[in-house]
Amino acid sequence: MLEIKDLKVNIEDKEILKGINLSVKAGEVHAIMGPNGSGKSTLASALAGRNYFNITHGKIIYEGKDLTELTPEDRAREGIFLGFQYPVEIPGVSMVNFLRTAINSMRKYRGQEPLPAGDFLKLMREKKKIVEIDSDLTNRSVNEGFSGGEKKKNEIFQMALLEPRLAILDETDSGLDIDALRIVSNGVNKLRSPENATIIITHYQRLLDYIVPDVVHVLYKGRIVKSGDKSLAKELEEHGYDWIKHEVDAHA
Amino acid sequence: MHTPEKYLELFQKNRKQIGKDDPPFVKKLRDTAIASFRQSGFPGRKEERYRYTHLEPVFDGELSFDFQPRQIRFDDDEIFSCDVPLLDSSVVTVLNGFFHHPGKEALTRLDNGIIYGSLKEAIGQYPDLVKKYLGTNAPTSNEPFVALNTAFSQDGIFLYVPEGVRMERPIQIINLLLSDKNQMVHHRNLFVLESNAVAQVIICDHTLSPHMFLTNSVTEAYTGENADLDLLRLQNEHNNSCQVTNTWISQERHSRCQHGTITLHGGIVRNNLRINMEGEGAETSALGLFLTDKMQHVDSYTVIDHRKPHCTSNQYYKGVLDDISTGAFNGKIHVHPDAQKTEAFQTNNNILLSDTAKVHTKPRLEIYADDVKCSHGATVGQLDEEALFYLQSRGISKEESRLMLMDAFTWDVISKIKHPSLQERITELVGKRLRGELSRCNNCAMHCQE
């Protein structure tokens, strides 16, 4: 589904990603872990199409298409979803208007008619249950005045509505209490299917107790320095990142 | 000849024609006004109040001026319907500054005592009533545009709401400009709300022919004790026009006033707003929203004068500027020594959509009382890139995302318009304006080019 080949990314003149290789197949859940500043969020942003950096080298192939040539909105319409580490507050744009516009933009891209208002409301009600989101939140402006947990739930709620093929969840677990973490993970698990894939970017192992990954990668200094199965996450939990840092730095 | 002299001469030469049926008190107002203007002239480039809008060159242009209403054949019902067709309003039309009433009474008097219609007619029919208010609020001294208007204005709209009367229907004033040559217009409105009266006035400004128009209007409004005035102006003249509005409102004890100005189109627009809080516990809110592109220029100048204790004022002004358009907001809150317990707030936020648009914002607080709550804030920025990316990442196109953010930005002001159907209509008009769908008079059938 997704092939990242030797991806190098600069922010201003600084190289943040120094040659990422990653292959994700439909049905898989990949976890990308790593210490702060290793380039995890930059990778997520590069996949979603944020434009404040330069891709200097390499390719991102998604479903046979070169992603780097697509605008952020077209990537979304092709089925890519980014769950933001820091969801943006947009005062004055109502959740309902935002979600309806998003869904209908996607439908238009697929050559479908806009969703009738009744069907849309029904769909919202249905998906709200998945993330146990408070009804009231959808009557407010996008993320405005939401608590940290509500913002993250709102990301998963949007994911449930938009039904992406590839979801990239950037630190979705950070700042969540144990109940919210359970709700968010349940949401993600319910949306798993053999047709879609998930990339979970996280600093901590605890999310992976709830969402069991097929592959775990460690990102350090802009490279994937180690990949393994879920036991790698356990190892990191027990020993921290230092042993990997030593290994990599000694090698260099 | 310098421009001020041109106007002094125009006045002297036509003194017999200007307001030839004037009662003595109006004659006196005119003479005082022209004397004031002789003294002040036009504001110079160094004059702080007019720093961003230099109007003398506009007044210096070749502009014709009508001393009497010209007979223009035109069927307003057929060719023109306003952008804000309120189903349930009393519509009065002003054509080139003169009350336009083919086949209708120039002045309507309702059973409950409400009077509305031509100001000129009101001066003739109710001189004592008009005399009590006309020109007593808007001074001509050191106010050159008020002075010129007082000297030259022939007509406009008069509204009188007696004590305790609530106007059931809003009154909608449609100002039309239509000419076969470049034209200057001075018109004047006078609204009087006695104590406990309630009224809503909507003013819509339109141009119907592509000529250069210069309008210099004065609106004086008096809100008596515990009266309630809602006054909204929608400016939608073409970009070859210049409009100077001077709105002077005085508020007695516990009166409430909401003033709003929505500027969609217009070449050079200068809006002077002055609200005098003359009685304790008065409340006022002033809304402003302007959307500019191309070479438009919109300058809002406000003074909220807190003269008595326990008054509240709120100002919300917002601007969205594109292309090489320019804007200015200069808002003063003046709290006099006696005006304790004043609450006065002011915000001015602007969004620049291009690198070449420019806006000047200048909040000014002069506070001479010690027990007050006052605040002000001004921002100039671009659309939030993070918010744009967030919307795009959900499949919404960049263009649509930008519009959603602009709608949200303007909604802050529009949401404060009280009348629900008017709010809805303004939302629609602003939305269309932002989408570039509204080119001048939306419903006009004349199709004159810009």
Side-chain angles (χ1 to χ4, degrees):
Chain A
M1 177 182 275
L2 181 74
E3 285 287 339
I4 302 178
K5 288 178 189 160
D6 201 21
L7 182 71
K8 293 181 183 174
V9 168
N10 277 16
I11 296 181
E12 287 168 357
D13 286 338
K14 195 166 180 240
E15 191 167 63
I16 305 293
L17 299 182
K18 300 173 181 174
I20 300 274
N21 289 292
L22 181 68
S23 174
V24 178
K25 294 189 185 66
E28 289 180 345
V29 173
H30 287 237
I32 297 178
M33 304 183 70
N36 287 330
S38 56
K40 302 190 297 288
S41 284
T42 303
L43 178 60
S45 297
L47 291 173
R50 197 177 293 219
N51 62 1
Y52 63 77
F53 46 64
N54 291 323
I55 294 177
T56 54
H57 187 263
K59 278 204 168 86
I60 309 173
I61 306 295
Y62 165 78
E63 303 275 357
K65 292 189 184 83
D66 184 356
L67 260 198
T68 56
E69 286 175 3
L70 297 183
T71 59
E73 55 267 35
D74 279 346
R75 294 180 197 208
R77 293 160 180 171
E78 289 287 344
I80 290 182
F81 178 89
L82 174 64
F84 281 63
Q85 183 179 4
Y86 302 110
V88 186
E89 295 195 11
I90 314 181
V93 175
S94 73
M95 279 296 296
V96 172
N97 184 25
F98 163 57
L99 296 171
R100 193 172 40 217
T101 310
I103 284 178
N104 286 333
S105 300
M106 302 250 188
R107 290 177 68 88
K108 194 178 168 192
Y109 188 72
R110 295 193 294 255
Q112 294 169 310
E113 291 292 307
L115 199 63
D119 294 359
F120 171 71
L121 292 174
K122 207 176 129 203
L123 185 68
M124 288 239 295
R125 268 200 303 277
E126 211 175 281
K127 302 295 185 184
K128 269 183 196 170
K129 284 186 203 146
I130 293 180
V131 285
E132 302 172 34
I133 203 168
D134 194 340
S135 263
D136 173 54
L137 289 185
T138 49
N139 295 330
R140 310 226 301 251
S141 289
V142 177
N143 291 320
E144 194 186 29
F146 287 29
S147 70
E150 285 167 341
K151 282 182 184 167
K152 295 301 173 77
K153 278 197 222 171
N154 190 22
E155 294 294 289
I156 305 305
F157 172 54
Q158 290 169 43
M159 176 175 148
L161 275 171
L162 299 175
E163 300 179 326
R165 294 212 55 212
L166 174 65
I168 303 142
L169 304 178
D170 188 6
E171 307 254 3
T172 298
D173 53 333
S174 59
L176 290 187
D177 64 34
I178 199 76
D179 287 331
L181 186 67
R182 181 186 51 78
I183 293 168
V184 164
S185 329
N186 276 347
V188 174
N189 285 330
K190 278 182 196 162
L191 299 170
R192 276 176 85 163
S193 83
E195 287 81 43
N196 58 32
T198 311
I199 298 174
I200 293 168
I201 292 173
T202 183
H203 186 70
Y204 306 105
Q205 187 267 338
R206 61 173 193 158
L207 178 66
L208 306 180
D209 287 341
Y210 296 90
I211 309 170
V212 182
D214 298 298
V215 192
V216 175
H217 308 276
V218 178
L219 188 64
Y220 177 56
K221 289 191 173 172
R223 285 193 183 89
I224 289 177
V225 293
K226 210 168 186 63
S227 298
D229 62 12
K230 63 184 177 191
S231 63
L232 177 57
K234 288 271 184 232
E235 229 172 307
L236 290 169
E237 173 79 355
E238 279 163 32
H239 306 293
Y241 286 106
D242 284 350
W243 62 279
I244 290 189
K245 290 185 188 174
H246 285 308
E247 234 179 75
V248 174
D249 294 340
H251 198 71
Chain B
M1 194 188 303
H2 291 304
T3 319
E5 274 96 73
K6 205 172 98 178
Y7 282 86
L8 294 170
E9 198 184 286
L10 185 71
F11 185 81
Q12 298 309 344
K13 268 193 179 163
N14 300 284
R15 186 66 188 94
K16 287 213 171 74
Q17 273 209 74
I18 297 172
K20 61 178 162 44
D21 308 320
D22 281 349
F25 80 93
V26 181
K27 281 201 167 72
K28 201 175 150 204
L29 282 176
R30 291 192 197 281
D31 290 332
T32 312
I34 204 73
S36 299
F37 180 73
R38 187 189 305 278
Q39 208 159 44
S40 67
F42 285 99
R45 283 202 177 275
K46 287 191 180 142
E47 159 96 49
E48 191 57 33
R49 289 182 298 169
Y50 286 89
R51 200 170 147 194
Y52 302 112
T53 308
H54 197 51
L55 290 163
E56 187 164 348
V58 186
F59 279 79
D60 197 29
E62 281 293 318
L63 299 160
S64 70
F65 181 76
D66 293 344
F67 296 97
Q68 296 298 323
R70 256 191 299 155
Q71 295 309 310
I72 297 176
R73 283 183 56 86
F74 113 104
D75 181 350
D76 52 337
D77 289 337
E78 197 166 297
I79 65 156
F80 180 79
S81 60
C82 178
D83 285 329
V84 190
L86 289 183
L87 291 174
D88 204 22
S89 67
S90 308
V91 175
V92 288
T93 308
V94 176
L95 178 62
N96 298 340
F98 292 93
F99 186 73
H100 180 67
H101 57 102
K104 286 181 228 156
E105 289 290 319
L107 208 55
T108 303
R109 184 174 185 138
L110 305 176
D111 290 341
N112 55 14
I114 289 175
I115 304 167
Y116 68 91
S118 157
L119 174 63
K120 186 184 160 99
E121 194 65 26
I123 291 170
Q125 286 189 33
Y126 305 98
D128 294 340
L129 181 60
V130 175
K131 185 181 177 181
K132 209 173 144 191
Y133 300 99
L134 186 70
T136 58
N137 196 5
T140 55
S141 164
N142 201 27
E143 291 291 342
F145 300 102
V146 175
L148 274 182
N149 177 284
T150 307
F152 285 100
S153 61
Q154 308 281 314
D155 204 354
I157 297 300
F158 176 69
L159 168 68
Y160 178 77
V161 188
E163 188 177 337
V165 173
R166 164 187 290 270
M167 251 192 125
E168 291 303 329
R169 306 201 303 175
I171 182 163
Q172 185 173 14
I173 302 172
I174 300 184
N175 287 317
L176 300 177
L177 297 170
L178 172 64
S179 184
D180 50 6
K181 52 194 167 204
N182 295 343
Q183 177 105 16
M184 172 167 56
V185 168
H186 298 271
H187 67 259
R188 187 158 189 127
N189 301 318
L190 177 63
F191 309 143
V192 178
L193 277 68
E194 298 281 20
S195 50
N196 297 307
V198 180
Q200 187 187 15
V201 181
I202 299 138
I203 304 177
C204 301
D205 299 314
H206 299 278
T207 39
L208 294 186
S209 62
H211 303 87
M212 154 80 199
F213 289 98
L214 167 59
T215 310
N216 175 38
S217 65
V218 169
T219 298
E220 288 182 284
Y222 295 81
T223 45
E225 194 170 325
N226 201 35
D228 193 318
L229 171 68
D230 190 341
L231 174 58
L232 184 84
R233 181 166 214 136
L234 185 74
Q235 300 178 307
N236 204 10
E237 297 187 351
H238 64 49
N239 287 357
N240 193 22
S241 68
C242 173
Q243 188 176 19
V244 184
T245 70
N246 305 277
T247 306
W248 295 71
I249 298 172
S250 75
Q251 288 190 251
E252 294 299 332
R253 276 168 71 94
H254 303 295
S255 63
R256 294 166 303 281
C257 170
Q258 172 159 292
H259 183 272
T261 311
I262 313 281
T263 312
L264 300 176
H265 283 96
I268 299 171
V269 179
R270 163 73 179 213
N271 293 316
N272 293 315
L273 173 66
R274 168 89 176 209
I275 297 178
N276 293 330
M277 320 280 268
E278 306 275 13
E280 283 188 27
E283 284 172 37
T284 202
S285 81
L287 310 175
L289 176 63
F290 68 91
L291 313 163
T292 59
D293 58 7
K294 297 173 190 154
M295 287 177 66
Q296 280 185 269
H297 175 78
V298 177
D299 180 348
S300 305
Y301 186 93
T302 69
V303 179
I304 313 289
D305 209 28
H306 283 266
R307 299 178 178 179
K308 288 283 154 51
H310 296 284
C311 293
T312 307
S313 69
N314 283 291
Q315 293 180 75
Y316 301 95
Y317 275 77
K318 287 200 166 193
V320 181
L321 301 96
D322 202 353
D323 300 332
I324 53 168
S325 63
T326 50
F329 173 78
N330 190 326
K332 180 170 160 182
I333 298 171
H334 187 155
V335 182
H336 291 253
D338 286 347
Q340 298 294 1
K341 304 284 181 190
T342 288
E343 292 190 19
F345 306 102
Q346 180 190 82
T347 40
N348 171 234
N349 307 121
N350 302 284
I351 284 187
L352 302 178
L353 298 176
S354 72
D355 293 341
T356 42
K358 210 189 263 183
V359 68
H360 306 275
T361 172
K362 190 174 175 191
R364 292 179 303 146
L365 269 63
E366 285 181 27
I367 301 170
Y368 302 100
D370 51 19
D371 186 11
V372 300
K373 274 190 216 163
C374 294
S375 73
H376 65 91
T379 60
V380 179
Q382 282 86 39
L383 289 177
D384 181 352
E385 287 290 330
E386 285 290 306
L388 264 182
F389 177 67
Y390 192 75
L391 294 173
Q392 284 178 267
S393 78
R394 298 303 182 246
I396 302 169
S397 73
K398 187 170 189 181
E399 190 49 34
E400 186 63 30
S401 302
R402 282 167 63 92
L403 289 168
M404 283 174 85
L405 294 182
M406 285 192 272
D407 280 339
F409 181 77
T410 56
W411 174 243
D412 222 23
V413 172
I414 299 170
S415 63
K416 294 184 175 69
I417 294 173
K418 282 190 265 176
H419 196 287
S421 70
L422 187 60
Q423 186 190 76
E424 205 175 299
R425 185 67 189 131
I426 299 288
T427 307
E428 201 180 315
L429 283 173
V430 168
K432 279 189 172 175
R433 175 68 178 91
L434 289 171
R435 282 158 183 78
E437 291 166 15
L438 181 75
S439 62
R440 308 195 307 97
C441 313
N442 208 25
N443 294 327
C444 173
M446 301 227 2
H447 303 297
C448 38
Q449 76 263 16
E450 294 205 11

